[in-house]
Amino acid sequence: MRKIGFSVIYFVLVSVIFILNYTFEHTAMVSYSFWNITRAVLLIFAVIVFPLLNRRIYSIAVTVLKEELRKKTLYVIFIFVALLVSLIHVFGKIAPANQHVFVGEMGLSGITLFGLLFGVFMSSTAMYKEMEKKTVYVLLSYPVSRQEIVMGKFIGNMISILLFSFLLSLIFVVSLLVRFGPINSVIVYSCFALMLEFVVIVAIATTTSTMLSSTSNIVFVIIIFLLGHMTEKITHIASRLEAQRLKEAAEVFVRVLPDFKRFEFKDALSLGTVIEPSVIIASLSYALFYSAVALIIGMLIFRRREVDRL
Amino acid sequence: MDHVIEIKGLRKVYRDFWYRPKVIAIDRLDMEVKKGEIFGFLGPNGSGKTTALKLMLGLIFPTSGKIRILGKVPTDVRIKEQIGYMPEESYLYGFLNADETLDFYGKLNGIPRARRKERIEKVLDIVGLKHARKRRLSDYSKGMSRRISLAQVLLKDPDLVLLDEPTIGLDPVVSREVKDVILGLKSEGKTVVLSSHLLSEVQTVCDKIAILCEGKLIKEGNVDELLTVNGETEIVASGLKQEDISRIKDVISSSGGKFISSGHPKETLEGLFIKSIKEKQESKSN
């Protein structure tokens, strides 16, 4: 491991999955459902399990998790949002005809708000704070590569946000079950999809925190979050552009942006349509692949970053 | 490997946003540090001492020139197991306590669990922080923060120790303890490079020094050789009477020499302070 380096193996693993994906999506070598599941499993291994097998990344991730779990402000926000999502059914009376949908949307919005606040503020400062407080000086005097530091920070932050958003989702779903009895499966899928969205936000914020200051990064990630939810609109506007170059540039821009619409099932909730598990699995693969690419960029930037220049 | 550190033609230029040269922090630095030496970097604030240490650690990258640490480039993570670094302030995680801090850094250095436990006990004992091991570092005083910072260096049992202003802001007692630890490292055959602008500190512990000014090396050499005043001889004796001193003066002038001064040697203020504190503490414990 030490001779080849973590980042090289990580890059190779992600590249192999990308090539396999390209091959299988453009040929009929294997069935879609088989590749959909295999791809998700491979990506879980490459993006989460493989880094955690590295003891240095694991140690950094555990320390990041400890830091987050010891923040009192986090618990204040968490308790506030937990109360909000558990009592959200009270507001259902506003829309008595469509209580399920209204309450579902409100609860999911609450979890999104928490995830966005927590994810953006926590991860946007991840690497920059290390440089600002100079803790990275001591860290780099140990046999840990810069790429492992970036990955450790990401994994730690990702576990923190997944833990808290899972707890919020659980509180939300249980409160709905208590109030309304059996609930629409779309709500459960939406909670899971939101967690995937948070993973992407954490990956982007961790990457950009290697070069941007905390405040600039918070603004940047919030803009990306908003644009990521507007990909359909941007595509629509781009299609109406007359200048071909501008159209192409807009298409590239949309491709580079994270497509957060993949994690949003509000339409299915309001229309009462069923979501296939394969859609969720595909969203999982998208989230992990996007995160992996973002992190590779982050690792490349931080590799040559002068840590005393802020 | 005779030389632990080899630096040739090292230059570090900080640039502005438009990539124009802003500050020349290190200018054509050449130096070598041998195994087992205590090497001191001297210089006023902003002379490039800390920059040189950062370059040796691979925290920043040279504009030109070569650096070899333990025979390898500073960015090679494999050498970091053998390097201990104590920055000028305690740049450790405030939310961890001493035990957790040392355990974390021990894990990063790949020290096996049993040995890690044993080493943590030992270094906490050396730096005198056993009583505060469960307290968060954010609650530590400046002196305690320096001690835990030193503890993470000792935990690694490194071959090369880089210390940036190791005693700055410490009271003379803790400062003396840190100096004793540095001398202890030398007796174990470790190489120590320390940067300081406290001249007495460097004189007490260093074998060799380099004086930096505006990024340039202006003097380098063995401390004893550099400080020896050639052409003069100092005699220290006890139990002499005034007439003996007069006779010595006569001997000196009859030998063609020139008597310059005589008097009672003075203790250093640091020595007096530490002696007084120790006497007070001993009388309290008795």
Side-chain angles (χ1 to χ4, degrees):
Chain A
M1 174 72 90
R2 285 270 84 173
K3 279 182 184 167
I4 300 175
F6 161 80
S7 55
V8 176
I9 302 173
Y10 187 80
F11 180 73
V12 169
L13 273 175
V14 175
S15 304
V16 167
I17 298 170
F18 178 78
I19 294 164
L20 287 177
N21 188 50
Y22 188 82
T23 312
F24 293 149
E25 284 209 336
H26 291 83
T27 59
M29 286 165 77
V30 290
S31 69
Y32 172 75
S33 57
F34 170 77
W35 174 239
N36 195 23
I37 294 169
T38 312
R39 181 179 57 189
V41 172
L42 287 174
L43 279 165
I44 289 172
F45 174 77
V47 182
I48 301 167
V49 180
F50 170 66
L52 279 173
L53 293 175
N54 178 313
R55 92 183 128 73
R56 292 170 295 277
I57 293 177
Y58 176 81
S59 301
I60 295 170
V62 169
T63 307
V64 171
L65 187 61
K66 273 184 191 168
E67 182 181 12
E68 297 308 325
L69 293 177
R70 289 175 187 183
K71 277 181 186 163
K72 285 174 190 156
T73 45
L74 171 69
Y75 291 99
V76 174
I77 301 172
F78 179 78
I79 291 167
F80 175 73
V81 181
L83 278 172
L84 190 78
V85 297
S86 59
L87 298 172
I88 206 93
H89 54 79
V90 176
F91 300 103
K93 286 166 188 160
I94 299 168
N98 220 349
Q99 269 200 46
H100 275 83
V101 176
F102 181 75
V103 168
E105 282 184 0
M106 286 281 283
L108 291 172
S109 301
I111 299 171
T112 309
L113 180 73
F114 171 81
L116 184 66
L117 279 177
F118 183 32
V120 168
F121 283 94
M122 171 186 68
S123 313
S124 293
T125 57
M127 293 309 302
Y128 191 80
K129 201 172 71 184
E130 282 281 341
M131 292 184 273
E132 198 179 25
K133 292 194 169 180
K134 299 180 181 177
T135 43
V136 75
Y137 287 18
V138 179
L139 213 50
L140 283 173
S141 73
Y142 281 80
V144 53
S145 71
R146 287 163 177 252
Q147 293 90 322
E148 287 168 335
I149 295 175
V150 174
M151 188 52 78
K153 286 272 164 189
F154 164 71
I155 298 274
N157 284 330
M158 183 191 71
I159 294 171
S160 311
I161 202 161
L162 286 181
L163 181 72
F164 282 96
S165 52
F166 173 74
L167 287 175
L168 274 183
S169 303
L170 196 67
I171 292 167
F172 176 53
V173 170
V174 169
S175 71
L176 288 184
L177 282 172
V178 171
R179 178 69 181 83
F180 299 112
I183 55 162
N184 191 340
S185 62
V186 176
I187 288 179
V188 180
Y189 285 147
S190 296
C191 289
F192 182 70
L194 273 182
M195 285 153 80
L196 297 176
E197 185 173 334
F198 300 153
V199 171
V200 177
I201 291 172
V202 169
I204 294 170
T206 307
T207 292
T208 45
S209 73
T210 58
M211 53 183 168
L212 294 177
S213 72
S214 304
T215 321
S216 324
N217 202 19
I218 288 168
V219 174
F220 179 80
V221 178
I222 290 173
I223 291 171
I224 293 291
F225 172 81
L226 295 173
L227 289 174
H229 276 278
M230 290 160 56
T231 46
E232 278 178 5
K233 282 178 189 146
I234 299 169
T235 312
H236 178 68
I237 294 165
S239 66
R240 296 173 70 179
L241 289 170
E242 281 182 10
Q244 191 58 27
R245 285 270 167 88
L246 215 55
K247 205 181 220 177
E248 283 168 9
E251 276 168 15
V252 171
F253 181 63
V254 169
R255 273 190 171 273
V256 172
L257 275 179
D259 185 6
F260 288 137
K261 277 280 171 193
R262 283 173 181 257
F263 310 116
E264 203 181 291
F265 300 115
K266 277 182 184 164
D267 291 346
L269 189 64
S270 53
L271 296 171
T273 48
V274 178
I275 296 175
E276 293 296 324
S278 62
V279 176
I280 294 293
I281 295 170
S283 300
L284 169 76
S285 298
Y286 176 80
L288 292 178
F289 190 72
Y290 195 94
S291 303
V293 174
L295 287 165
I296 288 169
I297 296 167
M299 288 191 276
L300 283 172
I301 295 167
F302 196 60
R303 192 172 162 262
R304 292 299 295 174
R305 177 78 152 93
E306 301 226 313
V307 294
D308 67 341
R309 305 280 287 165
L310 296 176
Chain B
M1 185 175 44
D2 197 26
H3 290 113
V4 175
I5 298 174
E6 288 176 272
I7 294 177
K8 281 196 178 76
L10 184 67
R11 210 171 134 80
K12 176 66 189 172
V13 181
Y14 283 109
R15 296 178 188 276
D16 66 9
F17 183 78
W18 305 106
Y19 211 65
R20 292 172 303 195
K22 197 168 79 176
V23 182
I24 300 173
I26 298 283
D27 196 7
R28 288 184 287 277
L29 177 68
D30 293 303
M31 58 169 266
E32 284 168 344
V33 179
K34 282 184 190 161
K35 192 175 185 299
E37 266 180 355
I38 302 190
F39 190 96
F41 263 127
L42 276 173
N45 290 334
S47 57
K49 307 184 297 284
T50 302
T51 306
L53 290 183
K54 283 179 190 167
L55 286 160
M56 287 179 204
L57 276 166
L59 300 178
I60 54 174
F61 310 102
T63 307
S64 60
K66 275 186 183 173
I67 312 178
R68 288 286 178 277
I69 307 291
L70 300 162
K72 299 205 164 56
V73 290
T75 45
D76 190 330
V77 288
R78 286 171 295 182
I79 58 166
K80 302 288 174 76
E81 270 177 36
Q82 300 156 54
I83 300 176
Y85 171 58
M86 180 178 166
E88 58 190 315
E89 277 178 48
S90 178
Y91 301 140
L92 304 175
Y93 297 110
F95 57 88
L96 297 178
N97 64 34
D99 264 342
E100 289 170 330
T101 300
L102 296 177
D103 191 54
F104 168 63
Y105 288 115
K107 275 183 196 161
L108 281 189
N109 213 48
I111 305 171
R113 186 195 289 258
R115 184 164 160 68
R116 201 162 67 227
K117 219 175 157 190
E118 186 188 303
R119 291 283 311 159
I120 290 173
E121 290 300 320
K122 193 178 170 186
V123 297
L124 280 177
D125 201 31
I126 293 172
V127 300
L129 279 178
K130 271 194 166 173
H131 65 287
R133 62 194 303 167
K134 296 292 175 200
R135 208 188 300 171
R136 283 192 191 180
L137 301 197
S138 54
D139 298 333
Y140 272 19
S141 67
K142 175 132 185 161
M144 290 165 92
S145 299
R146 300 298 285 155
R147 285 168 195 239
I148 189 68
S149 193
L150 184 63
Q152 63 84 18
V153 172
L154 300 176
L155 180 78
K156 295 171 93 172
D157 194 19
D159 293 332
L160 170 63
V161 180
L162 304 175
L163 308 168
D164 195 359
E165 307 280 6
T167 59
I168 199 157
L170 297 181
D171 70 51
V173 177
V174 183
S175 180
R176 182 72 252 172
E177 284 169 5
V178 172
K179 282 183 209 164
D180 288 343
V181 170
I182 296 170
L183 292 169
L185 289 169
K186 181 184 164 61
S187 67
E188 287 172 28
K190 316 278 187 198
T191 311
V192 181
V193 174
L194 65 93
S195 99
S196 180
H197 57 254
L198 301 175
L199 307 180
S200 63
E201 172 180 292
V202 175
Q203 190 181 346
T204 329
V205 296
C206 292
D207 304 316
K208 222 175 148 186
I209 57 159
I211 302 176
L212 289 178
C213 187
E214 293 172 1
K216 285 190 177 131
L217 181 69
I218 54 171
K219 196 146 239 159
E220 188 194 5
N222 193 293
V223 176
D224 283 340
E225 283 169 16
L226 288 173
L227 298 181
T228 300
V229 181
N230 291 316
E232 286 183 16
T233 307
E234 190 179 58
I235 300 165
V236 180
S238 64
L240 292 183
K241 295 186 190 105
Q242 192 54 46
E243 55 264 36
D244 298 327
I245 296 169
S246 304
R247 283 218 304 277
I248 291 168
K249 281 181 186 171
D250 294 340
V251 172
I252 291 169
S253 48
S254 63
S255 311
K258 187 187 169 194
F259 179 82
I260 297 172
S261 72
S262 73
H264 297 291
K266 289 196 170 52
E267 197 173 348
T268 60
L269 192 56
E270 185 198 8
L272 176 73
F273 181 86
I274 291 167
K275 208 165 96 184
S276 311
I277 296 289
K278 273 190 181 162
E279 278 171 6
K280 173 76 181 158
Q281 283 171 343
E282 275 165 18
S283 68
K284 209 175 165 186
S285 60
N286 290 334

